[in-house]
Structure formats: structure tokens, C-alpha cells
Amino acid sequence: MPLQLKSLFFILQLLALLISISSSDPNPQFPCQPPHFNSYPFCNTSLSITDRAQSLISLLTLEEKIHQLSNNASGIPRLGIPPYEWWSESLHGVASNGPGVNFNGYVKAATSFPQVLVTAASFNRTLWFKIGLAIGIEAKAMYNVGQAGLTFWAPNINIFRDPRWGRGQETPGEDPMVVSAYAIQFVKGFQGGSWRGSGELIDRFERKRALGGYNDDESGDRLMNSACCKHFIAYDLEKWKNFSRYSFNAVVTKQDMEDTYEPPFRSCIQQGKASCLMCSYNAVNGVPACAQGDLLQKARNEWGFKGYITSDCDAVATVQEYQNYTRKADDAVALVLKAGMDINCGSYLVRHTRTTIEEGKLQDKDIDRALLNLFSVQLRLGLFDGDPRKGQFGELGPQNICTTEHKMLALEAARQGIVLLKNEKKFLPLNRNVVSSIAIIGPMANNISNMGGDYTGFPCDPKSFYEGLLGYVEKASYASGCSDVPCDSDAGFNDAILSAKKADFVVVVAGLDLSQETEDHDRVSLLLPGKQMALVSSVAAASKRPIILVLTGGGPLDVSFAEGDRNVASILWAGYPGEAGGKALAEVLFGDFNPGGRLPMTWYPESFTKIAMNDMNMRANPFRGYPGRTYRFYTGNRVYGFGQGLSYTKFTYKHLSAPRTLSLSGSFTGTLTEKILHQRELDYIHVDELTSCDSLSFYVHIFVANVGDMDGSHVVMLFSRAPKIFEGTPEKQLIAFDRVHTSSYGSTETSILVNPCDHLSIVDKHGKRILPLGEHLLTLGDLEHSVSIMEVHDAEQYEDQEVGKVNQSTSSS
């Protein structure tokens, strides 16, 4: 090509690039834009957030106020305020579900991490924070080029109560403590908490504050993005028989509400500092969730929530149209706004609020209250601080998306989340030097479209399971066996069997995809879909060697047939492992990574489907044949248990130390002291009757030894069994966990702080948290250690104990 043509070609390429950039970042509009709109008090960053928000509200007409009550908030041209879309999604990566995000500009993809349930299986708090931060960086970068908002409706922190639930995949599992821990870490990372520790960028905000650019009293409230705890509350049913999420009434006891359904939201708010709460479609004990004034106000007044409350999409309309809780639209509007909801995803409030006010059912102050919460969050996000590219995190852009660091983090998350469930005769790991050929079979084996599960965007560099194996063997073959996951036909079985017969080793990928479980779709069976079970058994019978079974999807599966089949050597759960799942699985199969994931949910047998999905009771009731739910209360048989997971090496606990006794002497309120004087025997103490729980805290010291010939990570899980002083006491409950890495034939020490009021307490039928007296059993694998909690009279015999403190002498078991 002549030099002149080369130059012309280069110029044309450069011009095309510039056009592409300008189309995704077209001199974006923003509030407080100089020179005409930056002199308003709400643009003055030296004022408090509250003063700025109130100033803005005071300038609005009623019609302008009403048009802010929708996720698609209208612009206010006379004040230089452009429209704003509140609804963006970021469950496990910036997603394309919400209208606030688009991938049509300069940014074409974003890092797709494993679905939340898989990430939860790592039981790694540090990993959870890093993922939240990475997603937050990419979200902010997309905002800076006009392809996303700043308010994202994640995480989903509902309890995975029923294995059939289509959205269980989105959650961190069935244990309230684990779900709470995930919520805290993800929200902190996503909203920009501990930003300076990320090591990636300099925090411009700190510099601006040092120069007096921000009000010092509220500088700690600044946000990189806004995260939203959803769905508040007791939401875990999509569509089952005649029950629909839009009209379902969740009947929840005070006991279950306090110890199961509320804790993740309380933690997300109190420790995570989430700036958004989403109320759910369903009713709770007869009242629509978005009209539950007592619960919404509890979040603000008792838990200290500082943020805005949004409805799920069209959840205000369902109050009248599906649940028939009100006869008229204006009654529904008045109900939810007075209850404490601030914004409606949808247009219901925009269409009906003026009429509600005109009929005297609502006042301007009710609207102003909602707007104060909405504008306060926007101000904390810096939306009214001028050009976002010159402000806090303004340097973030496309160069911070799909980075090598983030893609490696996605790979690490997939590695740590894969769970090894069966490994007969140490069949795995495979030796790549002796494996000349491998067949991978199954409808999900070479499919990248469902690797992330629901709420997925456009991944950076997705690889299927088949593609992941190509780098490890000279010869790899693929056969689907079934044309799709529903697997209604066995027409492809012969090709799959032939492929299996020719290969040295066989991997069958079976399980679920979004055709089986997703939003608005629950399962009816826990078995493999369609003829998948027959496919697995047929291939296993034909293979030269026992096969490796890899299970996909979020919901638990009854694979008892494979667990008991000698022709199935190994079983792994990969879930929805995200864009790096193909590579992660290959690394695990060939021993480049030692699996250490643990199941974050119980895997029930198919017989569990006889239990009504709409029964919200957690606790077993033998009188009506109800087995309970989750490992804490379930009394039936299991396919696999919560926390189950194998490794290629063997870990043992060499030593466990903790106090034998705890004296409550000196820790009582005056009311309780009076009670003890008149009643010598007590079975329990109400937690709110103890003056200081921190003084009762103690450490459990654990030594983990790797007695195998392979380095690996191990999840330490400490459970407690409380004295069974009443029906409904948990069978056991997880009180702490930690993921530790230990080299071959090495050991690691870890210490876990136990606060008796938080970790050893249980909840009575009145919804009150109590601390049982007597022997509490701490369990760690096969080790058991008892800690006796005694009130003042019992403690007097222990003269060597210091009043009000833990006896720190240790004993091992």
C-alpha cells in the first residue's frame, strides 16, 4: 500500500475512534454546570448535605417534585438539572438489566464475576470486598463516560430458604451470618469504602477535603457509588403453583423474622452503610412490604439507615392491582409514602401523586421528606459538585474496565468458589502428562451465554468449559448429548457415548441454566432436568474410566444417583462461574488449583418438593410432618450438607483453645439483678439485660495443619450448639468462618473472636434475643469444646475468676 494511502487509512481509523469516543461521552450534561447554573446554594460544596438538599427542594414546584419520584427522574431545565436514571444493576458485574446501563458506547464489556452464590462458596471476606470494589470502579468508570448511573440495585441479600427458588443463585446462601458478612463486604467495596487501601488510584476526595472543598462533618458520607440492599423483606418466591411474587403474603413469625430474615438487612445497613434499601413485591403478615411502616422505620430509627428507599419495579402498583390492599390508586400512593418509601421504580407515583394530594390524603411535607432522602444520596455521590470528570474518581474511565487485575480477580473468585463434592480413590487431580485425550459432554459444556447466571452484562473475555480444557490436552472432543438444558430428547446420546468411548477421560457437564431457574421462574423438581440423568448414567457406563461430573446452576440438585454410582469418580459444583469459569475448572481438574470451596446451602433430596414452598417457617414441626429449612433447623435427609466441600489434600485441627466457663457476674442491669435475688434458677438471660457484651468476648485459637502433599486453602467453620431450653432452638449455627492458606505439611494459626451476645444467643418465640445459661458446645470439624455460661450464683464457686471477665485459662481438645 502506498505511503499516502497508509496515511489516509490511519487518519480514517483515528477519525472513527474519535467519533466512537464522542458518541459515548458527548460532553455530558451535569447539574451545577457553569457559568449559568453553578451559583445555587445546592451547588455549594462547603455547605452540609442536608442544607444543600433542603435548598434544592425549596426551589421546586409541586409538579417538579412529583416527577422526581420515579426511577426515571425528570430533568429540571430551569435549574440546569438533567434527567437521572436511578435504576442500574451490578449484582456480579455491571449488568445490562437496568435502563441506567448501556454497552453501546465506548465501553463494550465489563468484568463478569461468578454469580453471587459461587462467590459465597469461597467463604472469603477479603475476596468479597475486592469484587465489590472492582465492580464499583468499573461502574464509576462507565458513569464517567455516560454509560451508567451511580445508583445500583445490588446486592440481593434474601435468604436462600427454599431450594426451588429461581433467584437463590443471586444470594450468598442460606445462612444469615454468611449473607450478612457478604453484604457488608460487597457494599463497603462497591460504595468506595477503604478506597485508599485498594492501591489502584489516589483518592482525590481526600485532597479536596484537605483544601476545604467539602464540609468536614459529612465528608465520611461521600460515596463512589450507591449500593442497595434488596429485597426487604421475606422475599424468596417467584411463581409456584397459584402463588406469585406480586401477590404472595409471607406469613413470618417474630422468631424467624428476628433470627433469619432481618439480620442480613440490619448488617447491610449498620456495618455495610448501604445507602439504598429496596422494599419487595410480597406482603408480610398481610401488609405489602412497601407499606410496612414499622419495618421501614425500624431500618431508619433503630438500625440507623441513611439513604433512600425504593420499591421494586411496579411494586406500588401491585399494592392495589394484585394484592387488592387498597381500593384506589391514591390510597396506595399515600400508604407507601407515609410508610417511608421514597421512590417508585415505575410511573405509578408520577401518575397518581397529584390526585392523592388534592384529595387531602397526602401533604407536601410527605413529598419533601422523600426528596430529602433522594437528593441527599445524589449529593453524597457528587452529582451536584460540577463536572464529574474533574471531581472525586473523575480519572476513572474505560482504561479501568476489563483490566488484567479485574479479570484475574474473576478467575480467582471462580477458583475459590468451585466445590469438590466427591473424589473416589483420589481420582482428581488429573495428570496432564498422562492425559492424551479428553471428552467433555453436556449442553452446558461449550456454552458461554449462561456462564454468569442472571443479571449479567457483556463479559470481557468469556471462555466455555470446553475452551478452558483446550490448553491442557492435545486432543479434546465435545458432544452436547442434549440439544439444550431441558434435554427433552435423547437423540444426541449416541454421539456422546461414542465420544466418551474414544477418550482417555470424560467430563460430563450437567445441571441448570436460566431456562430452569431465574427471576419470575421457580423450579418444581430438584432432579436434573429432562433426560440429563440418563445421559450421565449412559456415558458413565460406556466410558473406559469412571467419569467426572460437573454440575452447573444455582439451585441444589438431587444427584444421589451419581453419588452412589461407582462409574462417577468425582463430582464438582461449578454453579455459574462467570467469564473465567472455563479456565478455573480446567485448573482445578488438572491440579493447578486445589479446590477449597464449601456449599453455602443445603442440598435436599427430591422428596423435599412435597413441602409447600409458601411455608415460610424455618423451624421443624414434627406434629405436621414439617422438616424445617436450612442446616440450622432441617431434620431430614441431605444429599450434601451446608459447608460441605473436599480438597486434594487433608487438613486437620491440631489444637483448639477457648475458656471453659463464662461468668456473667457483674454484667447485669439493675432490673436483672433484682430478678436474680428473687429467683435462684434462671435458664437464660435476655441480651438487652446485660450491660456489656464486649467484656464477655473471648478468642478461640485454632491451629490448622495440612497433612497432605499439596498446598491449599481451607475454610475454617466454627459452629455452636446452644442448650435446648425450648422448641425451635437451632440444631447448630455458624458463628465464625475464615479461609486460611496452608502449605503442604505446614500449619497455620487463626483466632476467632466470639461475642456471646452475638454468637451464642438464640431467639425466643416472642422475637427476643436471649443468652441460654449452661453448656454451649463449640464444634470445629470433629473437635468439640464446651463453654459453660453461668450467672452470679453458679459463678461464686469459681473464686479464681475475675468478676465480669472471661476465665482466660485455656484447654484443648
Side-chain angles (χ1 to χ4, degrees):
M1 181 183 293
L3 181 62
Q4 292 89 345
L5 289 178
K6 285 185 178 180
S7 300
L8 178 61
F9 182 69
F10 173 77
I11 292 171
L12 289 173
Q13 281 188 314
L14 181 61
L15 182 60
L17 177 62
L18 292 173
I19 292 172
S20 173
I21 294 173
S22 65
S23 67
S24 61
D25 184 18
N27 223 2
Q29 291 182 303
F30 51 86
C32 301
Q33 190 163 359
H36 303 295
F37 300 109
N38 61 333
S39 59
Y40 294 108
F42 61 79
C43 299
N44 186 347
T45 58
S46 67
L47 298 177
S48 71
I49 295 292
T50 300
D51 287 345
R52 295 172 70 188
Q54 289 175 338
S55 170
L56 175 53
I57 294 168
S58 71
L59 298 174
L60 302 183
T61 66
L62 176 59
E63 195 65 25
E64 289 170 337
K65 291 178 180 179
I66 290 173
H67 279 80
Q68 297 300 306
L69 302 179
S70 168
N71 64 286
N72 185 16
S74 298
I76 309 169
R78 66 185 183 86
L79 298 179
I81 299 174
Y84 181 75
E85 177 56 67
W86 287 85
W87 179 10
S88 294
E89 298 283 359
S90 60
L91 183 67
H92 55 104
V94 179
S96 55
N97 301 68
V101 172
N102 77 80
F103 288 92
N104 299 322
Y106 191 89
V107 177
K108 303 294 185 183
T111 310
S112 180
F113 293 90
Q115 183 59 283
V116 175
L117 193 66
V118 178
T119 298
S122 70
F123 284 86
N124 186 336
R125 287 181 174 87
T126 302
L127 179 68
W128 299 342
F129 174 84
K130 287 182 176 180
I131 290 173
L133 180 58
I135 297 172
I137 289 171
E138 296 198 357
K140 185 72 175 185
M142 289 184 69
Y143 167 78
N144 285 347
V145 295
Q147 289 184 242
L150 287 176
T151 46
F152 290 78
W153 293 348
N156 181 342
I157 55 170
N158 294 114
I159 296 295
F160 198 168
R161 174 189 62 93
D162 191 287
R164 293 161 286 189
W165 185 29
R167 300 184 73 178
Q169 57 175 291
E170 301 175 24
T171 76
E174 71 179 33
D175 181 75
M177 196 273 277
V178 175
V179 178
S180 297
Y182 178 88
I184 293 167
Q185 297 303 323
F186 179 89
V187 170
K188 280 185 174 181
F190 185 77
Q191 293 193 158
S194 302
W195 175 261
R196 285 168 295 177
S198 71
E200 186 173 341
L201 297 169
I202 298 173
D203 190 352
R204 288 185 177 180
F205 164 65
E206 289 296 324
R207 296 203 305 254
K208 186 167 183 178
R209 186 183 64 152
L211 296 172
Y214 289 125
N215 180 281
D216 283 337
D217 294 337
E218 297 181 349
S219 58
D221 288 339
R222 290 280 170 166
L223 301 167
M224 179 168 68
N225 308 285
S226 170
C228 194
C229 309
K230 66 181 186 183
H231 311 80
F232 193 59
I233 195 168
Y235 168 71
D236 49 20
L237 180 149
E238 301 299 307
K239 188 181 294 182
W240 180 79
K241 293 190 175 181
N242 294 325
F243 296 93
S244 163
R245 62 177 179 165
Y246 304 111
S247 57
F248 175 56
N249 177 32
V251 179
V252 181
T253 66
K254 292 180 179 179
Q255 191 175 33
D256 289 340
M257 185 66 79
E258 170 63 29
D259 79 351
T260 297
Y261 296 107
E262 282 188 1
F265 291 94
R266 183 166 59 239
S267 298
C268 196
I269 289 168
Q270 291 183 330
Q271 285 84 46
K273 307 298 182 184
S275 51
C276 169
L277 185 64
M278 177 185 285
C279 52
S280 53
Y281 289 115
N282 57 286
V284 180
N285 297 328
V287 181
C290 291
Q292 287 269 357
D294 54 343
L295 284 174
L296 299 185
Q297 294 309 315
K298 184 177 191 177
R300 289 200 185 278
N301 300 331
E302 293 185 28
W303 302 346
F305 175 59
K306 293 176 65 178
Y308 73 99
I309 299 176
T310 179
S311 75
D312 206 334
C313 293
D314 290 323
V316 179
T318 62
V319 172
Q320 181 216 352
E321 295 173 2
Y322 282 83
Q323 298 171 10
N324 300 314
Y325 192 76
T326 63
R327 290 179 57 249
K328 299 173 63 178
D330 49 9
D331 291 328
V333 169
L335 194 66
V336 297
L337 286 173
K338 287 185 174 180
M341 196 197 78
D342 300 312
I343 192 171
N344 168 221
C345 178
S347 60
Y348 203 79
L349 292 187
V350 172
R351 289 185 285 121
H352 299 293
T353 299
R354 176 174 282 280
T355 303
T356 308
I357 292 175
E358 289 172 350
E359 293 191 4
K361 297 175 181 178
L362 205 62
Q363 296 179 332
D364 280 18
K365 66 178 183 180
D366 298 310
I367 310 298
D368 291 350
R369 178 206 56 76
L371 293 179
L372 179 62
N373 294 325
L374 294 169
F375 289 141
S376 293
V377 169
Q378 289 185 325
L379 285 159
R380 292 168 63 192
L381 287 163
L383 258 67
F384 293 86
D385 292 350
D387 190 342
R389 294 166 299 184
K390 297 179 181 178
Q392 185 186 9
F393 312 115
E395 62 269 57
L396 292 173
Q399 72 278 7
N400 302 106
I401 301 172
C402 289
T403 63
T404 300
E405 179 185 359
H406 290 175
K407 289 189 285 188
M408 284 300 299
L409 184 62
L411 174 61
E412 183 63 22
R415 291 166 174 162
Q416 293 194 25
I418 291 174
V419 181
L420 179 64
L421 295 169
K422 178 184 180 181
N423 197 27
E424 291 294 318
K425 299 179 181 180
K426 297 184 177 179
F427 190 80
L428 292 176
L430 302 176
N431 185 339
R432 64 190 301 177
N433 295 321
V434 300
V435 178
S436 61
S437 64
I438 194 167
I440 184 164
I441 294 166
M444 282 286 287
N446 196 25
N447 183 332
I448 63 172
S449 62
N450 276 318
M451 292 291 280
D454 63 5
Y455 283 84
T456 297
F458 293 88
C460 307
D461 188 22
K463 293 287 189 296
S464 70
F465 294 123
Y466 171 64
E467 290 171 324
L469 288 173
L470 291 178
Y472 280 83
V473 291
E474 294 179 2
K475 184 179 180 182
S477 62
Y478 160 70
S480 65
C482 303
S483 61
D484 54 21
V485 168
C487 194
D488 295 326
S489 170
D490 59 5
F493 281 24
N494 287 339
D495 288 343
I497 291 170
L498 182 62
S499 181
K501 286 180 176 180
K502 292 179 179 179
D504 288 342
F505 291 87
V506 177
V507 177
V508 177
V509 181
L512 309 173
D513 71 355
L514 298 184
S515 70
Q516 306 298 303
E517 54 173 3
T518 189
E519 187 168 7
D520 221 15
H521 180 66
D522 295 321
R523 289 188 292 159
V524 295
S525 172
L526 302 183
L527 300 176
L528 289 174
K531 299 180 183 295
Q532 282 194 38
M533 187 188 304
L535 174 65
V536 173
S537 297
S538 299
V539 171
S543 176
K544 299 174 187 176
R545 294 181 175 88
I547 67 167
I548 301 160
L549 176 61
V550 177
L551 299 171
T552 63
L557 291 161
D558 184 347
V559 288
S560 304
F561 80 97
E563 177 64 29
D565 189 343
R566 289 181 297 178
N567 291 323
V568 179
S570 302
I571 302 175
L572 303 98
W573 177 67
Y576 296 108
E579 66 174 56
K583 181 173 175 57
L585 178 65
E587 290 182 352
V588 168
L589 293 181
F590 284 91
D592 285 350
F593 188 85
N594 190 350
R598 302 283 196 101
L599 290 180
M601 69 292 191
T602 302
W603 283 33
Y604 302 85
E606 172 68 3
S607 59
F608 190 86
T609 58
K610 297 176 183 176
I611 303 302
M613 192 173 175
N614 62 306
D615 193 327
M616 302 295 290
N617 287 287
M618 301 302 298
R619 289 159 166 81
N621 186 334
F623 298 106
R624 61 186 184 93
Y626 185 69
R629 297 177 182 275
T630 77
Y631 80 94
R632 293 188 302 144
F633 304 108
Y634 179 61
T635 56
N637 296 324
R638 297 163 174 80
V639 178
Y640 297 115
F642 171 86
Q644 194 159 340
L646 305 173
S647 171
Y648 293 152
T649 188
K650 183 178 180 181
F651 294 94
T652 62
Y653 303 112
K654 295 177 61 176
H655 184 68
L656 181 149
S657 64
R660 286 288 187 188
T661 59
L662 291 180
S663 168
L664 302 184
S665 175
S667 298
F668 306 131
T669 63
T671 303
L672 184 57
T673 303
E674 184 72 17
K675 189 184 300 182
I676 291 173
L677 291 174
H678 292 88
Q679 182 180 340
R680 298 287 297 184
E681 296 293 332
L682 290 176
D683 292 328
Y684 60 86
I685 305 294
H686 281 100
V687 168
D688 58 11
E689 293 178 325
L690 294 170
T691 56
S692 175
C693 290
D694 292 340
S695 65
L696 300 171
S697 297
F698 61 89
Y699 280 97
V700 176
H701 300 286
I702 302 164
F703 290 83
V704 182
N706 181 344
V707 296
D709 56 5
M710 192 172 184
D711 297 353
S713 293
H714 179 69
V715 177
V716 176
M717 306 181 83
L718 183 65
F719 294 88
S720 73
R721 286 193 176 94
K724 293 207 169 186
I725 60 175
F726 54 72
E727 291 294 324
T729 299
E731 299 295 314
K732 64 177 180 178
Q733 57 188 15
L734 183 67
I735 62 173
F737 63 88
D738 190 19
R739 186 169 181 128
V740 296
H741 189 273
T742 308
S743 58
S744 174
Y745 299 105
S747 62
T748 302
E749 179 179 354
T750 185
S751 296
I752 293 172
L753 181 63
V754 177
N755 182 315
C757 294
D758 292 336
H759 301 131
L760 304 184
S761 62
I762 58 177
V763 176
D764 66 16
K765 65 180 181 180
H766 304 293
K768 300 296 183 182
R769 192 160 286 278
I770 62 173
L771 183 61
L773 301 179
E775 184 177 288
H776 291 251
L777 198 63
L778 304 182
T779 63
L780 182 69
D782 295 330
L783 295 182
E784 295 183 345
H785 180 93
S786 64
V787 177
S788 293
I789 300 179
M790 297 177 292
E791 47 97 359
V792 60
H793 298 296
D794 294 329
E796 287 173 353
Q797 60 183 301
Y798 292 89
E799 295 181 359
D800 58 330
Q801 276 195 308
E802 185 179 350
V803 174
K805 294 187 177 180
V806 176
N807 181 346
Q808 293 297 332
S809 62
T810 61
S811 57
S812 63
S813 55

